[in-house]
């Protein structure tokens, strides 16, 4: 009787492990799902880390009680190897060659200081000055309400530009670029959005022209109350029925935001494809996790610099409970990325900066004669 009960229990656990693996597969490959068609299902990528942890617990269980079944969670990890390397890349520290371009992308939260610093702009400015990057791409770089910002940036960068998407009392957004390289021109990538956008900056780098696309894609539009309830659910402080209702409401909001981001990502990808003759860097706040339709679509045909050279989860959104990298740097094959990282030492915004060094390959440095 005891033996039968033990076998029954082990079979039940095995079934639960297999069910967890199936959900982990769905979450890991959720970036293939178009949010326009299946908004809530496309958000499954956000649950990927939870299933990774759950499968790890099953691994420990089998090692303790039935080591011959340890193959179940191991096969699960093998099946999600591709999304696992996107979510949690493990790369060695690289030796950076001479002649690289240091690029920094940072959502500065309208220089609000993340509710920690009274002088938010000055804190961000001093950080950027210390980083000494060649190209700085900022999101929520809302300079128009305090024009002295450009006067400060001009002290460290000869070329500066801000593109304003919306300027209203309760809705303000812009992206900006501050760089050592001359700005030849800029083009806003056309797609419908109330307060977000993507801008392609054409920069003169030595004898070549490169495109840097700075993005701020659709926000999740979660209120402070939504975030508080989400954290309560994670801590288990919410009753079952209430937690289920709140989860569905949260998924609905996230799904609707993802559905709005999808055509924005499509437009950016189409622009990239139409300008493949140029070396291209794409960066910014995608407002979506690494396993998402938006990141995957924009990254088609490009290198994800953090995936190829970064280490760890790389959480770029620093609000507790949201364990995701939503800021990204991508590049065309004309560049070789080095040591892409999230700098978690500066907390002047609700985002951390993402930084990468990029080496333009000699074959791309042929001048502009074949670019047009």
């Amino acid at each position: 009787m005891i033996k039968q009960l033990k076998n029954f229990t082990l079979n039940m656990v095995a079934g639960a492990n297999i069910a967890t693996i199936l959900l982990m597969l769905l979450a890991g490959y959720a970036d293939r799902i178009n949010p326009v068609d299946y908004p809530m299902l496309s958000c499954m990528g956000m649950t990927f880390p939870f299933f990774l942890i759950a499968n790890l617990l099953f691994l420990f269980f089998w090692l303790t009680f039935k080591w011959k079944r340890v193959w179940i969670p191991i096969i699960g990890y093998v099946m999600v190897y591709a999304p696992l390397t996107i979510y949690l890349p493990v790369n060695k520290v690289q030796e950076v060659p001479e002649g690289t371009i240091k690029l920094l992308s940072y959502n500065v939260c309208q220089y609000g200081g993340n509710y920690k610093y009274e002088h938010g702009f000055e804190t961000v400015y001093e950080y950027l000055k210390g980083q000494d990057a060649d190209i700085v791409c900022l999101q929520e770089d809302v300079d128009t309400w305090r024009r002295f910002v450009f006067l400060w940036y001009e002290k460290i960068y000869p070329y500066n530009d801000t593109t304003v998407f919306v300027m209203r009392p309760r809705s303000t957004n812009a992206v900006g670029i501050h760089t050592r390289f001359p700005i030849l021109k800029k083009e806003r990538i056309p797609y419908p959005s109330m307060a977000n956008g993507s801008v392609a900056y054409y920069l003169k780098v030595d004898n070549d022209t490169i495109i840097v696309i700075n993005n701020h894609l659709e926000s999740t539009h979660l209120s402070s109350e939504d975030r508080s309830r989400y954290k309560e659910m994670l801590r288990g402080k919410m009753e079952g029925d209430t937690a289920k209702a709140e989860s569905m409401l949260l998924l609905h909001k996230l799904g609707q935001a993802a559905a709005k981001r999808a055509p924005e990502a499509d437009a950016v990808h189409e622009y990239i494809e139409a300008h493949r003759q140029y070396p291209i860097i794409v960066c910014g706040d995608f407002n979506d996790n690494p396993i998402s339709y938006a990141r995957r679509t924009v990254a088609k045909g490009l290198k994800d610099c953090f995936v190829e050279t970064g280490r760890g989860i790389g959480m770029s959104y620093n609000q507790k409970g949201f364990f995701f990298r939503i800021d990204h740097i991508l590049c065309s094959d004309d560049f070789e990325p080095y040591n892409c990282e999230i700098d978690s030492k500066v907390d002047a915004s609700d985002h951390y900066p993402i930084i990468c060094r990029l080496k333009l390959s000699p074959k791309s440095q042929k001048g502009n004669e074949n670019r047009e």
Side-chain angles (χ1 to χ4, degrees):
M1 182 66 180
I2 295 176
K3 185 177 180 180
Q4 290 177 336
L5 182 60
K6 179 181 178 181
N7 289 335
F8 175 78
T9 302
L10 291 175
N11 289 335
M12 289 291 290
V13 174
N17 195 172
I18 292 171
T20 298
I21 290 170
L22 292 175
L23 289 171
M24 184 169 65
L25 279 168
L26 177 60
Y29 293 96
D31 55 0
R32 270 73 172 172
I33 302 172
N34 192 322
V36 175
D37 300 322
Y38 304 99
M40 295 175 66
L41 195 59
S42 70
C43 296
M44 279 291 292
M46 297 181 66
T47 66
F48 186 61
F50 301 107
F51 292 118
L52 290 176
I53 295 171
N55 196 50
L56 182 63
L57 295 177
F58 280 114
L59 178 64
F60 289 144
F61 176 87
W62 295 124
L63 286 172
T64 305
F65 297 103
K66 191 73 172 180
W67 65 268
K68 289 184 178 180
R69 293 192 181 182
V70 75
W71 59 268
I72 300 175
I74 290 175
I75 287 179
Y77 283 130
V78 171
M79 294 173 72
V80 296
Y81 176 77
L84 181 59
T85 56
I86 292 174
Y87 180 78
L88 186 67
V90 180
N91 298 289
K92 296 180 180 179
V93 177
Q94 300 165 287
E95 183 176 344
V96 181
E98 293 184 0
T100 58
I101 297 170
K102 183 178 181 180
L103 183 137
L104 183 151
S105 178
Y106 191 14
N107 183 321
V108 295
C109 196
Q110 301 181 21
Y111 302 112
N114 202 15
Y115 309 105
K116 296 180 179 180
Y117 299 95
E118 183 179 352
H119 303 288
F121 171 75
E122 289 77 6
T123 304
V124 171
Y125 173 82
E126 290 300 326
Y127 169 76
L128 295 177
K129 183 178 179 181
Q131 282 297 312
D132 195 31
D134 299 295
I135 303 172
V136 173
C137 288
L138 302 181
Q139 300 83 46
E140 300 192 29
D141 187 19
V142 286
D143 172 55
T144 53
W145 60 277
R146 48 189 305 176
R147 291 305 307 177
F148 75 89
V149 168
F150 261 27
L151 298 178
W152 281 84
Y153 280 133
E154 286 171 354
K155 296 179 181 180
I156 51 177
Y157 289 108
Y159 306 100
N160 304 274
D161 184 86
T162 297
T163 301
V164 178
F165 302 136
V166 62
M167 185 61 62
R168 295 193 296 266
R170 294 187 178 182
S171 182
T172 304
N173 197 13
V175 298
I177 191 168
H178 309 282
T179 176
R180 294 193 173 95
F181 304 118
I183 303 171
L184 300 178
K185 67 174 182 176
K186 69 175 180 180
E187 292 180 347
R188 183 170 176 180
I189 299 176
Y191 56 74
S193 178
M194 292 292 292
N196 303 280
S198 302
V199 178
Y201 292 97
Y202 290 67
L203 305 184
K204 185 74 172 178
V205 178
D206 297 328
N207 295 320
D208 211 340
T209 298
I210 71 169
I211 297 177
V212 178
I213 301 176
N214 190 1
N215 301 273
H216 191 282
L217 303 185
E218 193 74 23
S219 172
T220 56
H221 301 294
L222 295 182
S223 65
S224 299
E225 187 178 352
D226 291 331
R227 298 175 195 276
S228 297
R229 289 198 297 265
Y230 170 72
K231 293 174 184 177
E232 285 182 27
M233 284 190 288
L234 290 181
R235 299 189 189 107
K237 295 182 178 181
M238 196 175 286
E239 294 183 2
D241 291 342
T242 304
K244 183 178 179 180
E246 290 294 340
S247 298
M248 294 303 294
L249 179 61
L250 181 65
L251 273 175
H252 176 74
K253 288 187 175 183
L254 292 173
Q256 292 303 311
K260 291 181 180 179
R261 272 193 299 275
E264 297 174 357
D266 291 337
V268 174
H269 172 67
E270 290 170 7
Y271 188 92
I272 293 168
E273 289 299 307
H275 297 81
R276 281 287 185 181
Q277 68 270 34
Y278 292 94
I280 296 175
I281 302 171
V282 184
C283 65
D285 178 7
F286 287 20
N287 267 310
D288 222 332
N289 71 91
I291 306 174
S292 64
Y293 178 88
R295 190 215 67 92
R296 180 175 177 270
T297 298
V298 177
K300 286 179 183 177
L302 301 176
K303 300 176 182 178
D304 186 314
C305 298
F306 192 88
V307 172
E308 294 208 2
T309 69
R311 292 165 293 281
I313 297 175
M315 291 183 291
S316 65
Y317 186 67
N318 60 36
Q319 300 303 292
K320 294 180 180 179
F322 294 85
F323 310 108
F324 309 112
R325 182 172 72 256
I326 65 175
D327 299 87
H328 307 278
I329 296 177
L330 316 166
C331 66
S332 62
D333 289 336
D334 304 281
F335 294 96
E336 189 65 34
Y338 293 89
N339 297 332
C340 189
E341 62 177 338
I342 304 294
D343 188 354
S344 59
K345 296 186 293 294
V346 56
D347 58 353
S349 169
D350 54 357
H351 290 243
Y352 293 130
I354 181 170
I355 305 168
C356 189
R357 290 187 176 273
L358 299 142
K359 177 74 172 180
L360 187 61
S361 62
K363 66 179 181 180
S364 299
Q365 297 176 328
K366 298 178 182 178
N368 297 323
E369 62 272 13
N370 297 320
R371 296 298 186 198
E372 301 299 337

